[in-house]
Amino acid sequence: MRRLCTQLISWLTIASPCVVAAAGTPGYIATPDTCCVVDRVAEDTVHLRKVGACTGKPGRAFIQSTLKKVKVVVEGTLWKETDVEGLTVPDLANTLSNADRLAERMTVPGNRHEKEMTSLAGTLDSYYHSDEFQLRVLNETERIKSEVFGDKITGYYADKGKQAPNGKLSASERVYVFISSAMPLATIRNYAASVARLGDPNVSLVMRGFVDGVTKIQPTIGFIASVLQRDPACRPQDGDCEMLPAGLVVDPLLFRRYRIDRVPAVVYARGLKAEDTGLSEGDPQNTTITGHYAAYGDANLEYLLDQIRRESGSASLAALLAVPGNRK
């Protein structure tokens, strides 16, 4: 089972931490005015037409292109050559938020099978919350992620990218910080900032499942964006918001393997060996460990890790905490 990260970001999860588009995937181009919309895309040229009143304020337009640069032509006149910008977590959150607002104004006819469907929904709800179904969701998410985002996704997932230069944990060690969207947002942001400050690819935040269920992806994208924004006051609709370089995965099997029944919780595992590094580290049929240590409570992450260090005698944790700026 592939591990899910954000910025998902779900498509999220962080070298350029909030860019999730690769060459040949959807993106944005600059336009000379907000009234300009895409008429058509032909080879390396994007043709724009003007709709409504033009104010002179620069805008952006959504396109799909296999190129990193395109020529922009406005109603037959060449404007300039411009870059195709990758989609960002705020872009996704904004687009989905706008879609939700449009949906609120739509009128949907009543369902004459409502009673029958309500009964069936109860059965489906039980299956949805099972680990079996959550595992299938994560596998499908990984398939979509690899097909749509390509190599860019490695920047979002600590276990997919290259080892960070200042990583102190060995390849067989992990630190999992278990969180929930039910926790105070300020507390989760503090943990995300600590994970980013530690700067180790084997330290990550872990959620049990998607926010508000898998039927809507926007709540999860919005949650990850709000958690990983470096500046909580940044407004995505006003421009790009810088994101923290922190890995975030959704994996119910990790919760079950380490018997996490309350959050926040921090687990240090060592001696980890995986048959398939692309599958869940919470699946005992895929991975083995020689031991693990856990700490609970709403406390500073570095403090909790120091308590685990004292109990485990881990030299790697000592080195991780000794990096300037990590000891609190």
Side-chain angles (χ1 to χ4, degrees):
M1 176 179 60
R2 301 289 195 260
R3 304 179 66 207
L4 175 65
C5 131
T6 56
Q7 41 227 285
L8 229 156
I9 182 105
S10 173
W11 296 11
L12 349 131
T13 228
I14 301 175
S16 173
C18 68
V19 176
V20 296
T25 61
Y28 284 94
I29 60 167
T31 66
D33 198 290
T34 55
C35 70
C36 293
V37 298
V38 176
D39 185 44
R40 68 185 188 280
V41 178
E43 297 181 348
D44 65 343
T45 304
V46 179
H47 295 267
L48 304 179
R49 58 187 173 87
K50 296 180 180 180
V51 176
C54 297
T55 62
K57 181 180 179 181
R60 300 171 80 202
F62 177 83
I63 67 165
Q64 294 199 39
S65 173
T66 58
L67 303 174
K68 294 183 179 180
K69 283 184 175 292
V70 294
K71 297 175 183 175
V72 179
V73 173
V74 182
E75 296 188 338
T77 301
L78 177 65
W79 179 50
K80 70 175 183 178
E81 186 177 19
T82 186
D83 294 330
V84 178
E85 302 172 9
L87 295 177
T88 65
V89 169
D91 283 330
L92 293 172
N94 256 355
T95 300
L96 291 169
S97 179
N98 290 336
D100 280 348
R101 284 197 293 270
L102 289 174
E104 289 175 359
R105 298 198 293 268
M106 296 175 64
T107 301
V108 180
N111 184 359
R112 57 194 178 95
H113 301 290
E114 182 177 359
K115 187 174 294 185
E116 178 185 352
M117 295 299 292
T118 300
S119 176
L120 180 59
T123 302
L124 293 177
D125 182 67
S126 297
Y127 177 61
Y128 162 74
H129 286 96
S130 68
D131 287 335
E132 176 189 0
F133 180 75
Q134 290 295 315
L135 177 60
R136 292 180 62 184
V137 169
L138 293 177
N139 284 334
E140 183 65 9
T141 297
E142 178 62 22
R143 182 188 68 79
I144 296 172
K145 187 177 63 181
S146 61
E147 289 183 2
V148 175
F149 300 131
D151 294 338
K152 278 289 184 179
I153 204 66
T154 59
Y156 272 79
Y157 296 86
D159 60 337
K160 298 292 184 184
K162 296 181 179 179
Q163 185 84 358
N166 59 339
K168 299 299 181 181
L169 299 182
S170 70
S172 64
E173 294 176 295
R174 298 288 187 274
V175 169
Y176 304 112
V177 183
F178 293 92
I179 61 171
S180 165
S181 59
M183 292 168 52
L185 184 57
T187 299
I188 302 176
R189 281 175 171 162
N190 287 337
Y191 281 118
S194 293
V195 170
R197 185 165 54 247
L198 290 172
D200 195 293
N202 289 332
V203 180
S204 59
L205 300 162
V206 184
M207 292 174 57
R208 183 189 295 274
F210 295 96
V211 178
D212 293 342
V214 76
T215 57
K216 287 187 177 181
I217 198 64
Q218 196 243 334
T220 300
I221 291 178
F223 174 75
I224 292 176
S226 63
V227 167
L228 298 183
Q229 281 182 195
R230 190 177 293 277
D231 179 7
C234 180
R235 289 164 47 88
Q237 59 268 38
D238 295 336
D240 290 343
C241 296
E242 184 181 1
M243 309 297 279
L244 292 168
L248 191 156
V249 300
V250 176
D251 193 338
L253 298 185
L254 281 172
F255 272 77
R256 185 169 65 179
R257 179 166 198 174
Y258 295 107
R259 299 180 180 179
I260 305 301
D261 57 5
R262 61 188 186 279
V263 291
V266 178
V267 168
Y268 165 64
R270 58 187 175 188
L272 186 146
K273 294 182 180 180
E275 294 293 329
D276 185 339
T277 57
L279 299 180
S280 170
E281 294 178 357
D283 185 354
Q285 295 182 356
N286 178 55
T287 58
T288 59
I289 59 173
T290 59
H292 75 279
Y293 301 81
Y296 296 85
D298 185 1
N300 179 277
L301 176 58
E302 289 86 346
Y303 171 81
L304 294 175
L305 287 177
D306 194 45
Q307 299 305 303
I308 293 176
R309 177 195 65 80
R310 294 172 184 272
E311 182 180 355
S312 65
S314 169
S316 296
L317 284 182
L320 181 67
L321 292 169
V323 173
N326 285 346
R327 293 301 289 267
K328 294 290 180 180

